[in-house]
Amino acid sequence: MEKNKTHIKAFTLLSLLLIVFFGINISLGSVSIPLFETFSVIFGETTSNNSWEYIIWNYRLPKAITAILVGSGLALSGLLMQTLFKNPLAGPFVLGISSGASLGVALLIMGSSIFSSYIGLQLVSNISLAIVASIGSFIVLLSVIIVASKVKDTMALLIIGLMFGSITAAIVSVLSYFTNAEKLQQYVYWSFGSIGNLSWQQIAILIVLCFVGVILSIFSIKALNALLLGENYARSLGIKIKKARYIIIITTGLLAGGITAFAGPIAFIGLAVPHLTRQIFNTTNHKILVPAVLLYGAVLMLLCDTVAQLPNSASVLPINAITSIIGAPVIIWLLVRKQKIIF
Amino acid sequence: MQEKISGKLQLHNKNLDHFNVQELALEISLVLTEKIASKNLTVLELIALGRQPYTNWLGSLKNKDLSIINNAITKVNLDSLKHKKCYELSDGQMQRVMIARALSQDTSIMLLDEPTTHLDFYHKATILKLLKSIATTTNKTILFTTHEIELAIQLCDKMLLLNNTNNPYGKPSELIKEKHFETLFPKDIINFDANTASFKVNK
């Protein structure tokens, strides 16, 4: 059982990395706080500077926890989608979840400016953004589920998801064309993604969503493994394909939809982490992969966020761009080195 | 799989519609022509998936499962390849892996869809001989479709000829005697030689 040993090693390494990156993430920021002081705040001791305590408890800690939830959740939903669609290029957003969220947000931000004479209210806030984003992803997800009950072929579902994405993108373009510059900028800012402004209540909601998502995924492990053979084989092994497909889609909807609602669209993590994880663990068994992508996603997201906040400077880079800038070269490097992407 | 178009399908004197997927998984195992979704599985992992109908909700393998898996691997002669990844295997080896997976599912019936496609003559014969030996040693019913009529005549216990008219069924020797092979193909192109049980192309 040499394999088990390497798995245990990899899990230990990832857990250590998670702790280290969590530490680095909360000790760096626009205000420089000594490392020792950071940790004494975390462990509940008093510090010489009250504003430091405020920054850590109300800004850095929520942000680091959000990073972990966002990274883990997106990585897990990416894994689910890649296995369900037998496609190494699938990610959490192939079912049109992020486009649904974008549409909701675009309608709120830009629609309210176009129809402002009727509404005349300033509706745009973090909470309302999260609400419309969830409604948007939920509606798209619901349409996909309805369509899923009509089509037998999972590949058709993938294309339908992409088509929903195109339609919503087109509507967003039309809205952008008619809106004013200020509103457009506001929308673009949302699409950059942000994990820095969640309240503890919002984090609690996100924790619940991620928890439910993880539980559902654990119950899907057997079906996911059978799906590695294809749907016909999986059915011959006693898997109820339709039920498994619904559970997997709903799980992805909860995870990716919830995360997009609170943190905006965050690219790349969901696509890349499952591949990176398969490279390290050298297995396709979801019993290993599910916990592994959770850890790996969290580590990578913490790293990206640390880079994005540009330590000791006041400016923050858009997280959505950083995840791609860091992640895409890693995938290219892996491909060049291994010659092929193994799924 | 294709749903039944008409008539009645029975398994152990029970209507097939009355079996749920789990019960069916304990009775029938499959080897299909479609490629498996992930070639990144190792041979062992793939064959172990055949135990899914027997394992718990997480798919954990018990000692009994492991010994059945190992028996299946030995039976199809894959011991030296069991830690290889599926993308490293040849078509013939891959077909043996799929048969071992079906074997580890330990069902009374094994259905194979054209198990010898894409294989050269040597591997075709190997696969069909393997199926024959599995059928005799494990007492399983092995049912497969094939275009290799000559090999099937030599190796099968019974054949069903799909000739678009009366679809005769029986032992190969009986089917030869009743001259069913003669009319299987248009005579101006292919003739059947009953003495050697082989087809000849008209020159």
Side-chain angles (χ1 to χ4, degrees):
Chain A
M1 291 280 108
E2 235 174 72
K3 233 178 168 181
N4 275 340
K5 258 189 200 160
T6 54
H7 288 164
I8 290 168
K9 257 190 217 159
F11 272 121
T12 325
L13 180 73
L14 277 181
S15 313
L16 283 176
L17 279 178
L18 180 65
I19 295 165
V20 170
F21 280 155
F22 186 78
I24 294 175
N25 190 281
I26 53 169
S27 47
L28 293 174
S30 51
V31 179
S32 104
I33 301 173
L35 193 64
F36 175 76
E37 297 282 343
T38 309
F39 284 102
S40 54
V41 169
I42 298 286
F43 293 112
E45 287 162 41
T46 49
T47 47
S48 46
N49 192 329
N50 271 339
S51 63
W52 288 351
E53 209 174 306
Y54 184 83
I55 288 173
I56 287 171
W57 277 110
N58 292 304
Y59 187 71
R60 289 192 187 173
L61 208 55
K63 187 159 66 72
I65 291 171
T66 311
I68 291 175
L69 294 172
V70 167
S72 301
L74 288 180
L76 181 58
S77 41
L79 175 70
L80 296 180
M81 288 296 101
Q82 287 178 5
T83 302
L84 181 67
F85 290 119
K86 306 169 248 183
N87 191 326
L89 279 178
F93 301 130
V94 283
L95 291 176
I97 288 165
S98 72
S99 9
S102 314
L103 182 61
V105 170
L107 279 173
L108 179 72
I109 296 177
M110 303 194 283
S112 71
S113 88
I114 294 170
F115 307 110
S116 58
S117 49
Y118 304 106
I119 301 167
L121 280 169
Q122 185 53 277
L123 291 165
V124 184
S125 69
N126 274 337
I127 300 286
S128 56
L129 278 181
I131 292 171
V132 291
S134 334
I135 294 173
S137 8
F138 185 73
I139 289 173
V140 171
L141 190 70
L142 203 67
S143 332
V144 170
I145 289 176
I146 291 168
V147 175
S149 65
K150 304 250 192 255
V151 296
K152 264 192 160 177
D153 186 8
T154 309
M155 279 304 148
L157 195 55
L158 180 64
I159 294 169
I160 289 164
L162 290 172
M163 291 305 110
F164 271 112
S166 300
I167 295 168
T168 50
I171 298 174
V172 171
S173 300
V174 172
L175 283 172
S176 319
Y177 184 75
F178 284 111
T179 193
N180 62 38
E182 187 198 340
K183 296 285 177 181
L184 186 60
Q185 193 183 27
Q186 207 177 354
Y187 172 73
V188 171
Y189 268 116
W190 175 82
S191 70
F192 283 154
S194 159
I195 57 170
N197 39 24
L198 269 73
S199 67
W200 281 109
Q201 284 88 341
Q202 288 171 309
I203 288 177
I205 297 172
L206 204 52
I207 288 176
V208 172
L209 287 177
C210 287
F211 183 74
V212 175
V214 171
I215 296 291
L216 286 174
S217 306
I218 291 172
F219 277 101
S220 302
I221 283 177
K222 193 171 171 180
L224 287 166
N225 281 334
L227 280 171
L228 291 173
L229 295 176
E231 287 179 23
N232 286 327
Y233 278 117
R235 192 177 296 115
S236 85
L237 286 168
I239 301 293
K240 295 183 186 75
I241 294 291
K242 268 207 164 163
K243 187 179 149 208
R245 190 155 63 165
Y246 281 134
I247 293 178
I248 292 170
I249 291 175
I250 289 169
T251 311
T252 306
L254 283 178
L255 288 168
I259 288 164
T260 312
F262 289 119
I266 288 174
F268 195 80
I269 296 280
L271 169 69
V273 170
H275 289 299
L276 298 170
T277 312
R278 283 190 205 101
Q279 300 275 359
I280 292 188
F281 286 84
N282 197 21
T283 182
T284 48
N285 188 346
H286 288 81
K287 243 199 279 187
I288 305 286
L289 284 181
V290 167
V293 293
L294 289 174
L295 274 175
Y296 208 140
V299 169
L300 201 62
M301 197 65 201
L302 280 171
L303 174 72
C304 290
D305 179 57
T306 311
V307 175
Q309 71 195 353
L310 292 173
N312 297 329
S313 84
S315 39
V316 178
L317 297 174
I319 186 77
N320 195 2
I322 296 302
T323 50
S324 298
I325 288 174
I326 292 183
V330 175
I331 287 286
I332 294 173
W333 171 74
L334 272 176
L335 273 174
V336 171
R337 203 178 57 127
K338 290 253 176 174
Q339 299 296 317
K340 64 172 158 189
I341 198 141
I342 41 175
F343 159 65
Chain B
M1 278 217 288
Q2 173 73 48
E3 296 283 319
K4 77 168 181 219
I5 296 169
S6 63
K8 212 162 78 173
L9 269 173
Q10 283 195 319
L11 180 61
H12 305 320
N13 295 322
K14 190 177 153 191
N15 198 325
L16 204 64
D17 298 335
H18 297 157
F19 286 86
N20 65 31
V21 273
Q22 169 64 22
E23 289 164 344
L24 220 48
L26 299 171
E27 297 294 344
I28 301 176
S29 55
L30 299 179
V31 175
L32 304 170
T33 39
E34 63 181 48
K35 291 245 177 339
I36 57 165
S38 168
K39 290 242 167 187
N40 198 23
L41 286 159
T42 66
V43 170
L44 191 62
E45 281 174 332
L46 197 165
I47 295 172
L49 285 176
R51 296 304 297 166
Q52 275 216 349
Y54 303 89
T55 53
N56 63 5
W57 64 278
L58 253 181
S60 314
L61 297 170
K62 299 214 172 61
N63 281 336
K64 189 189 165 212
D65 298 309
L66 291 173
S67 77
I68 290 173
I69 292 163
N70 279 324
N71 281 341
I73 291 176
T74 313
K75 194 150 248 153
V76 301
N77 216 350
L78 281 170
D79 293 278
S80 56
L81 297 174
K82 67 178 174 188
H83 294 298
K84 287 250 189 251
K85 295 267 187 187
C86 287
Y87 60 77
E88 296 174 290
L89 303 180
S90 70
D91 284 348
Q93 290 166 338
M94 193 61 213
Q95 197 57 272
R96 267 160 45 213
V97 174
M98 296 316 289
I99 290 171
R101 190 210 62 85
L103 260 181
S104 76
Q105 201 174 332
D106 198 20
T107 54
S108 54
I109 299 171
M110 199 191 275
L111 298 183
L112 302 94
D113 184 16
E114 299 191 26
T116 55
T117 1
H118 303 309
L119 301 181
D120 60 39
F121 190 69
Y122 167 73
H123 285 100
K124 279 181 175 144
T126 321
I127 293 288
L128 293 186
K129 272 197 74 166
L130 173 68
L131 291 176
K132 172 104 188 168
S133 88
I134 291 169
T136 47
T137 55
T138 62
N139 231 358
K140 288 181 194 304
T141 305
I142 296 186
L143 181 62
F144 66 95
T145 57
T146 185
H147 294 287
E148 304 300 325
I149 306 172
E150 294 180 7
L151 281 172
I153 290 174
Q154 294 176 57
L155 289 164
C156 292
D157 297 324
K158 287 196 172 157
M159 289 173 79
L160 174 69
L161 281 187
L162 298 176
N163 62 5
N164 249 340
T165 50
N166 57 344
N167 303 335
Y169 171 72
K171 287 182 184 161
S173 56
E174 293 166 2
L175 294 176
I176 293 175
K177 226 177 272 167
E178 291 159 20
K179 298 193 184 304
H180 286 298
F181 293 106
E182 268 85 345
T183 52
L184 196 58
F185 299 115
K187 279 218 154 146
D188 53 328
I189 299 181
I190 296 167
N191 273 317
F192 183 71
D193 179 1
N195 296 322
T196 55
S198 59
F199 290 95
K200 293 275 182 298
V201 181
N202 282 348
K203 282 185 191 139

